[in-house]
Amino acid sequence: MKIVMLGAPGAGKGTQALNIAKEYDIPHISTGDIFRANIKNGTELGIKAKEYMDQGALVPDEITIGMLLNRISESDCENGYVLDGFPRTIPQAESLRAALSENGDKLDYAIDIEVPDEEITKRMSGRRSCPKCGGTYHIEFNKTKVEGICDVCGTELIQRADDKPETVLSRLETYHKQTQPLIDFYKEEGILETVDGTVSPKEVFKAVTEVLG
Ligand code: ADP
Ligand code: AMP
């Protein structure tokens, strides 16, 4: 199964992508996580990506598309994957479609998680992330068993540098301008599914599994 998660930053894409990956035994691929790992390791890619991420802007397509297409050509992707944070622009979506169709393949679902902007800012300020396994928590809405420690791998959680209120606002603006048009793109492809993202993470996942079957 090949799935794309759509939605504003903070809508719950990562939270639900992890659930889907576990339930359907497919890899969870987050371009944001790949960039953050590169930043942490001080790679050339990380240094370039950081400039954009710190501004709440998108990393250029020339960097992002090649990186993602390489990742999905790895052997663990043969039975599908759930993409979280890619595509974020129409050229990214077109490149993915073209790469898949070269092998007579296509995406199965694009799941849009809908959450209004007012709710997003609350979510981002309380988000805590695991730098090791990509786990995502919230200090109020999705607490860890032990405060500040990842439930899955025991690593100390961090607050992402781009979750400060100023950056969140520019990320939302970037989303509306560059990423939201993908909703119509996938509607036209006939694979768009919309779920209400304002209910609890468990209820959102229930709606997602109803879509995926
Ligand atoms: P995205 O990957 O879309 O940026 P995340 O999955 O990281 O979003 O979720 C953003 C924040 O909101 C996290 O702190 C997460 O724990 C919290 N969250 C996710 N889903 C819900 C939900 N349904 N209700 C309340 N908070 C949520
Ligand atoms: P995320 O972890 O998905 O919230 O992404 C964090 C940041 O990484 C974004 O604000 C962008 O700067 C960058 N990023 C992640 N995925 C992409 C993408 N597909 N295209 C461009 N930039 C991206």
Side-chain angles (χ1 to χ4, degrees), residues 1 3 5 16 19-24 109 111 193 195 201-213:
M1 193 144 50
I3 305 164
M5 305 302 291
Q16 298 306 330
N19 289 337
I20 293 171
K22 206 167 151 196
E23 180 82 15
Y24 297 89
Y109 298 100
I111 302 179
E193 298 284 348
V195 298
K202 257 194 191 155
E203 288 169 290
V204 178
F205 188 52
K206 188 164 173 275
V208 167
T209 50
E210 275 162 18
V211 164
L212 300 179

Side-chain angles (χ1 to χ4, degrees), residues 83-199:
L83 301 185
D84 158 18
F86 187 98
R88 264 181 156 100
T89 63
I90 295 282
Q92 290 182 12
E94 285 172 341
S95 302
L96 177 62
R97 181 171 61 185
L100 287 171
S101 78
E102 269 178 29
N103 301 320
D105 207 352
K106 61 175 194 47
L107 289 170
D108 297 295
Y109 298 100
I111 302 179
D112 179 34
I113 307 183
E114 280 191 325
V115 176
D117 285 5
E118 310 81 77
E119 184 67 26
I120 294 290
T121 36
K122 270 191 259 168
R123 288 195 184 181
M124 307 291 253
S125 58
R127 169 156 64 184
R128 297 293 179 270
S129 308
C130 176
K132 191 162 172 220
C133 75
T136 304
Y137 304 91
H138 192 280
I139 52 170
E140 205 181 323
F141 310 134
N142 191 12
K143 292 183 182 176
T144 46
K145 294 193 183 91
V146 180
E147 198 184 315
I149 303 292
C150 179
D151 286 349
V152 176
C153 70
T155 304
E156 197 169 330
L157 301 179
I158 55 153
Q159 181 163 27
R160 277 171 45 174
D162 59 352
D163 278 348
K164 332 187 258 296
E166 317 85 85
T167 322
V168 168
L169 288 181
S170 46
R171 288 168 67 198
L172 266 176
E173 210 175 298
T174 303
Y175 167 76
H176 289 302
K177 271 198 210 134
Q178 292 181 266
T179 308
Q180 210 169 16
L182 293 179
I183 294 176
D184 280 341
F185 180 95
Y186 287 118
K187 199 184 277 173
E188 279 163 29
E189 294 261 295
I191 59 164
L192 183 76
E193 298 284 348
T194 304
V195 298
D196 175 10
T198 61
V199 293

Side-chain angles (χ1 to χ4, degrees), residues 11-43:
K13 299 183 295 297
T15 303
Q16 298 306 330
L18 278 168
N19 289 337
I20 293 171
K22 206 167 151 196
E23 180 82 15
Y24 297 89
D25 198 21
I26 49 176
H28 162 218
I29 300 174
S30 153
T31 39
D33 283 351
I34 301 175
F35 287 135
R36 282 184 289 276
N38 275 277
I39 293 174
K40 203 171 161 206
N41 295 328
T43 68

